[in-house]
Amino acid sequence: MCVLFILTFLWGENRFSRLGENVYLGLAAGMNLALALLYLWKNVIQAGNVFIIIPCVLGLLLWARESKEFAWCSRIPLALLVGVGTGLAMRGAIDALIIKQIQAAMTIDVTKGIGVTLSNLVLLIGTIGSLMYFVYTVKPGKTLNSGARIGRHFLMAAFGSYFAAIVMTRSTNLAVILNDYIYGFILKILGLRSW
Amino acid sequence: MLEDLKKIYKQIGRPRFISLLMIFFVTIPILYPIGIPVVIEDHAKMAFEAVESLPPGSKVAVSGHIMLALWKEAEIGTTAIIAHLFSRQLKIVAWAILPEDAELLHGVFENVPKQDAKYGVDYVLLGFVPGEESALATIASDINAAFDTDFYGNPINTLPLMSEVRDANDFSLIVALSHAPEFYVRQWQSPYNIPVIGVSTGAGTVSYYPYIPQQVVGLVGGSKGGAGYELLIGRPGRGILATDVLNVSLLFLMGSIIAGNISMILEKRKLKGSERK
Amino acid sequence: MYKIIKSREFAVYLTGVIGGITIAEYYFKVEAISIIASTLREWAVIIASFTMIYGTYYLIRHQMKLVYKRERGKWYYGLIMITFFSLMFLSGIVGESGRGIYSFLFNDMLAPMWIAVYAQVICFTASAIFRTFRVKSTDSLALVCAALIVLLANAPIGALLWSGIPSIAEWVNTYFSNAGLRAIAIGSGIALFVLGYRTLMGKERGALGGV
């Protein structure tokens, strides 16, 4: 029933869709809170390590935002989170996202035939052209503009692929909802399906 | 009659009409399965080969990182790959870095044929750990720092399999149930050289392409990839229904693109015609 | 000392130092740095769970205010949200993992509703496709062609219509659109590095919450 409430949004926002949304948000929030607390209790507090009190106190400092006088305290746990997250992302990005990607783009395998060699060349030209499209720090000249124009076509093809992939997922979602929860329910009641 | 047709044509572009049409077309293969044969993707074959190449007894990590809303599509590939891991007598350590994935992985482990695998000895479900990338990095450097108990509340020092794994170096492969391969490539593949297999929905497959095959050795993408993997392991399942629906809905959407372009050409001709007058 | 810790600059410098230690651990194999970095990572995981708790607290507090003030047209939705929140939370805390009321609420209520929210998108996408996927230039031609080829290849029927379609689609995915995707990956890697550098050097302070 709640699924039908949510699907009524297709015909515009109404009381039923808002009801469904609020039920869904309440359940999701309850799940998040329960799992976070269970993780803290089972894996942190019950572990019995005395030094765990430091990150727990830092975590509780987040609530200091509620007070105008002590709001500055909430910056400290956030600083730790942001520092660790940024450090982890940066250290991996250089090797995984930059060096290895450039190596892969520049690799032209001549041993697998002329078709693969030409395809790898297309990949290299497309990558360089697409990168030229993102250069904003230099005044655009003839070369940069031509490269960027070629690169734009490759980027559009990439977005077309993204679009097709997203559409695949959403179609399957619709099929699951219809098969498992709407038609499945109706057919079960009519005795035409046992599962 | 012409006026009625014109009215219907005006309605065609409206969201409600197209939504109804979409639901109607998707209903057809659900009620009357078509059974169009599935084509096995190359990336799914690569993932299959990667699992087949591991000797029995190797340890494989499974990391749940797919939103609940998108799970049903990824479940096809996840169930197939976990069944394959059990059939190859590989040991599995699974965890979730999104809250909902712990419960979802529990559901998969309950339903998949385990080939005499014992919990605690051959496979372990550790549960949810917050922090996403930080959690992955912590698990990679020291798994005991992230978990003290498993999903069912058992202390991990009572589980024999957990005495054999300490960090990423103890694993031969990581199966990333994720839309974000860069997390796994940054925290597992790049520093520790652990091969990554991706299991994702259709939407997530495109984000894996830049990393295949150098950093990600295989990909089971969407319901089509999952159906192909089911055929490779000889266990056809839900993937077949999903591919039927995929066929019809994708054909409908292609029809929408073509119809939209025809509509644009007709409107341009109408404009030119009225300009000449 | 108190004034220093209270200042914004202290949080910014702390971010920089912690980020620096995390990066240094990757490039320098010094035991002291590894121990400090791994401790900081464990603490970050614990603080992340507190942020989840805080986020939920903030949402429920807002809904409780609506209910308390009896805001017209909104308070009963707030009451419904709080009711279901309490049900899910209590069953998750008290019940056994993978069984009971929590499992029912998760598998038979939350999951289908969440899937339905995402399933709606395809209906809006279908109508948007009809109105916007129109070939007006060579760029849009590349977009529409790539989308059509990938759609046709991903529907297994494409292989039945013409056996060459999967090969063309594979070529488009592996080389043509992959060029754009690689450029996006490289660009995002550079952007990530630059943004990370700016954050650790204190030039981007938005991450600290605007307090």
Side-chain angles (χ1 to χ4, degrees), chain A residues 6 9 19-20 26-27 30 65-66 71 75 91 101 104 119 130 152-154 156 161 163 168 170 173 177, chain C residues 6 22 25 49 54 61 80 85 88 112-113 118 120 129 138-139 143 154 171 176-177 182-183 196 209 211:
Chain A
I6 299 241
F9 189 79
L19 180 70
L27 290 172
R65 295 171 79 94
E66 306 291 314
R75 282 189 220 129
R91 73 188 204 182
Q101 288 296 315
S119 303
S130 306
R152 206 161 59 208
H153 292 85
F154 285 91
M156 284 296 176
S161 294
F163 159 76
M168 271 167 60
R170 301 288 181 250
N173 275 1
I177 280 296
Chain C
K6 200 177 166 182
T22 311
E25 185 210 10
S49 53
Y54 183 75
R61 194 187 71 168
I80 287 165
F85 161 78
M88 189 73 162
M113 291 174 78
Y118 275 70
Q120 284 172 26
I129 285 167
T138 50
D139 300 340
L143 177 75
N154 280 308
W171 187 86
F176 203 83
S177 55
R182 267 197 213 280
V211 173

Side-chain angles (χ1 to χ4, degrees), chain C residues 99-111:
Chain C
R99 288 180 179 79
I101 300 173
Y102 176 81
S103 201
F104 166 75
L105 288 171
F106 183 90
N107 289 311
D108 296 315
M109 283 194 78
L110 180 59

Side-chain angles (χ1 to χ4, degrees), chain A residues 10-12 31-32 35-36 39 42-44 46-47 81 84-85 88-93 95-97 100-101 104 107 158 161-176 178-181 183 187 193 195, chain B residues 16 19-20 22-23 26-27 30-31 69-70 72-73 99-100 128-130 133-134 137 146-149 151-153 182 185-187 189-190 201-203 205-207 210-211 214-215 223 238 241-242 245-246 249-250 253 257:
Chain A
L10 286 170
W11 281 268
M31 175 191 72
N32 273 334
L35 289 174
Y39 177 79
K42 285 184 185 173
N43 293 295
V44 176
Q46 279 190 330
L81 268 180
V84 169
L88 285 173
M90 276 176 77
R91 73 188 204 182
D95 183 41
L97 288 183
K100 288 217 166 101
Q101 288 296 315
T107 307
S161 294
Y162 259 128
F163 159 76
I166 286 169
V167 144
M168 271 167 60
T169 300
R170 301 288 181 250
S171 311
T172 312
N173 275 1
L174 183 64
V176 163
L178 292 174
N179 182 55
D180 289 358
Y181 300 106
Y183 299 137
L187 292 174
R193 195 194 269 186
W195 52 274
Chain B
R16 288 177 199 184
S19 306
L20 277 172
M22 182 86 199
I23 291 171
V26 167
T27 303
I30 292 171
L31 297 177
L70 306 173
K72 286 287 179 183
E73 195 184 354
E100 54 265 36
F128 164 65
V129 55
E133 196 164 5
S134 311
F147 295 101
D148 206 58
T149 58
F151 179 68
Y152 306 102
E182 55 271 10
V185 166
R186 284 201 293 255
Q187 304 305 331
Q189 196 279 324
S190 189
T201 63
T205 49
V206 179
S207 33
Y211 304 101
Q214 291 89 355
Q215 291 153 299
S223 46
R238 276 181 72 103
L241 163 71
V245 166
L246 208 56
S249 58
L250 294 185
L253 289 165
I257 295 176

Side-chain angles (χ1 to χ4, degrees), chain A residues 16 27 40 68-69 80 99 117 125 154 175:
Chain A
F16 295 111
L27 290 172
L40 276 178
K68 272 190 184 158
E69 204 188 327
L80 194 148
I99 295 173
T117 309
I125 293 167
F154 285 91

Side-chain angles (χ1 to χ4, degrees), chain C residues 80-144:
Chain C
I80 287 165
M81 189 194 283
I82 292 168
T83 310
F84 280 92
F85 161 78
S86 313
L87 257 174
M88 189 73 162
F89 171 65
L90 289 169
S91 59
I93 291 284
V94 169
E96 264 184 69
S97 297
R99 288 180 179 79
I101 300 173
Y102 176 81
S103 201
F104 166 75
L105 288 171
F106 183 90
N107 289 311
D108 296 315
M109 283 194 78
L110 180 59
M113 291 174 78
W114 208 329
I115 295 170
V117 167
Y118 275 70
Q120 284 172 26
V121 172
I122 191 61
C123 298
F124 294 119
T125 308
S127 86
I129 285 167
F130 179 81
R131 281 173 284 130
T132 59
F133 261 59
R134 298 186 177 186
V135 178
K136 290 174 186 166
S137 63
T138 50
D139 300 340
S140 51
L141 179 67
L143 177 75
V144 169

Side-chain angles (χ1 to χ4, degrees), chain A residues 15 29 35 72 78 86 100 103 126 133 135 141 143 157 184-185:
Chain A
R15 282 172 201 257
L35 289 174
W72 60 270
L78 286 174
T86 310
K100 288 217 166 101
Q103 273 176 343
Y133 184 78
V135 173
T143 321
F185 181 69

